[in-house]
Amino acid sequence: MSANPLLNPVPTKDGHIIGYVHSLETFGAVDGPGIRFVVFMQGCHMRCKFCHNPDTWKTRVGSQMTTEEVLNKALPYRSFWGDKGGITLSGGEILLQIDFALELFKMCKEEGISTCLDTCGQPFTRREPWFSKFNELMDYTDILLVDIKHINSDEHKRLTGFPNDNILDMCEYLSSIGKPVWIRHVLIPGITDNDEYLKQLGEYVKENLHNVEKFEVLPYHTMGVHKYHEMGIRYRLEGVEPPTPERVKNAEKLLEVDRYQGYKDWYPGINTLDQQPS
């Protein structure tokens, strides 16, 4: 089997893996359960038309930090995390730096810290050695936030530059191993705000994914447009306005988001397979 092109030599310093970090958030309230220290990693292959962080796209740029340095940055805030909070690795796309994620989450578990992975799943593959690394990473990951950008693969490619086949494969694999997830879907007028596609997505999640603790509709917004102007990048959704509250409620109804209430009782260490009747 040929080498996986997603794998590159991993830089290290003082025995710890170096990651390319975009920014840190010390008090994240929307990046997983509880209050979380959020590490936004640099680099993403997708070019989502609605992305509000185009400054995270480039790989191998940003602040170089070791896993130890990141953990030491997080630990002073531990008293705020409570029973459900902890550390979230986000992006960009964190799975492009899977070795960094794996080492950091191992260290977190040694400290008894809850771990959350925020991913769009684009790098997911069952090719080796990447798939084995992903499986090991799941051993140290309590929960994932997974964005499903579009349920239709062709529309997904128009929206992001990539089809969604491997992303849905990742979602179904996570379901098969009982790894808890929050599914998130950005509602964009004229693109994802389509009743037929919303019904398809709702049915897909209901029929195929049995590990969903929460299903969130995220209204499209324009807060990142200024970054495109500053970076000299054309913003491809110019003129698209955020969805109305009525359309958000319509999407929530079609997706049946109220079915997914597991997040209220979820705690780190709970596997959805453990909760299913034998």
Side-chain angles (χ1 to χ4, degrees):
M1 181 177 292
S2 60
N4 190 332
L6 296 178
L7 298 174
N8 294 298
V10 180
T12 60
K13 175 185 175 184
D14 299 328
H16 292 284
I17 292 175
I18 294 172
Y20 296 88
V21 178
H22 174 267
S23 57
L24 304 173
E25 183 177 350
T26 59
F27 201 82
V30 295
D31 301 281
I35 302 301
R36 310 195 73 86
F37 185 92
V38 188
V39 186
F40 295 96
M41 303 299 289
Q42 185 70 37
C44 185
H45 290 164
M46 278 190 175
R47 294 295 180 265
C48 301
K49 292 179 181 179
F50 59 89
C51 181
H52 58 277
N53 289 314
D55 47 327
T56 67
W57 288 350
K58 287 185 178 180
T59 58
R60 295 184 173 269
V61 299
S63 300
Q64 294 187 34
M65 299 179 67
T66 67
T67 51
E68 183 180 49
E69 288 170 334
V70 169
L71 184 59
N72 287 338
K73 289 279 188 181
L75 287 174
Y77 301 94
R78 187 170 188 168
S79 61
F80 296 103
W81 299 342
D83 294 334
K84 291 189 176 183
I87 293 178
T88 294
L89 278 177
S90 186
E93 173 48 62
I94 177 55
L95 291 179
L96 292 179
Q97 300 190 61
I98 193 168
D99 296 280
F100 180 90
L102 177 55
E103 182 172 281
L104 178 61
F105 276 10
K106 281 183 179 180
M107 296 167 67
C108 286
K109 286 304 166 189
E110 290 172 0
E111 295 285 341
I113 296 171
S114 169
T115 55
C116 177
L117 199 72
D118 182 1
T119 177
C120 67
Q122 184 277 321
F124 181 81
T125 177
R126 297 196 186 224
R127 291 175 62 185
E128 295 293 357
W130 197 93
F131 188 51
S132 291
K133 289 187 178 185
F134 180 80
N135 270 312
E136 188 177 3
L137 177 60
M138 291 302 98
D139 290 339
Y140 299 94
T141 302
D142 288 315
I143 196 165
L144 294 93
L145 311 182
V146 178
D147 296 336
I148 298 182
K149 314 288 188 179
H150 206 297
I151 189 59
N152 180 281
S153 192
D154 291 335
E155 293 296 328
H156 192 282
K157 188 171 183 178
R158 292 188 186 95
L159 181 62
T160 71
F162 290 85
N164 68 4
D165 307 82
N166 68 312
I167 294 168
L168 299 184
D169 184 35
M170 182 192 76
C171 291
E172 292 170 28
Y173 179 71
L174 292 173
S175 179
S176 74
I177 63 174
K179 187 59 63 175
V181 303
W182 290 7
I183 297 293
R184 302 188 297 183
H185 183 62
V186 178
L187 189 69
I188 312 168
I191 300 179
T192 60
D193 187 7
N194 174 297
D195 284 5
E196 187 57 38
Y197 287 137
L198 289 168
K199 290 177 184 176
Q200 290 177 21
L201 176 58
E203 284 298 313
Y204 171 80
V205 172
K206 182 168 63 175
E207 296 298 324
N208 296 279
L209 308 183
H210 310 293
N211 57 335
V212 179
E213 305 287 344
K214 191 175 187 179
F215 198 165
E216 293 182 285
V217 174
L218 305 181
Y220 163 79
H221 62 75
T222 59
M223 289 186 286
V225 174
H226 68 95
K227 295 183 181 180
Y228 288 80
H229 299 159
E230 293 168 358
M231 296 173 67
I233 303 173
R234 182 175 70 90
Y235 185 66
R236 293 177 291 168
L237 295 184
E238 202 75 58
V240 176
E241 296 296 325
T244 64
E246 291 75 20
R247 292 305 298 174
V248 174
K249 289 180 180 178
N250 176 72
E252 291 174 340
K253 180 179 179 181
L254 294 177
L255 294 171
E256 300 183 60
V257 298
D258 289 340
R259 290 175 56 93
Y260 308 96
Q261 300 289 325
Y263 68 95
K264 294 180 179 179
D265 301 318
W266 179 87
Y267 281 91
I270 292 179
N271 183 299
T272 55
L273 292 181
D274 299 333
Q275 298 174 295
Q276 296 174 9
S278 58

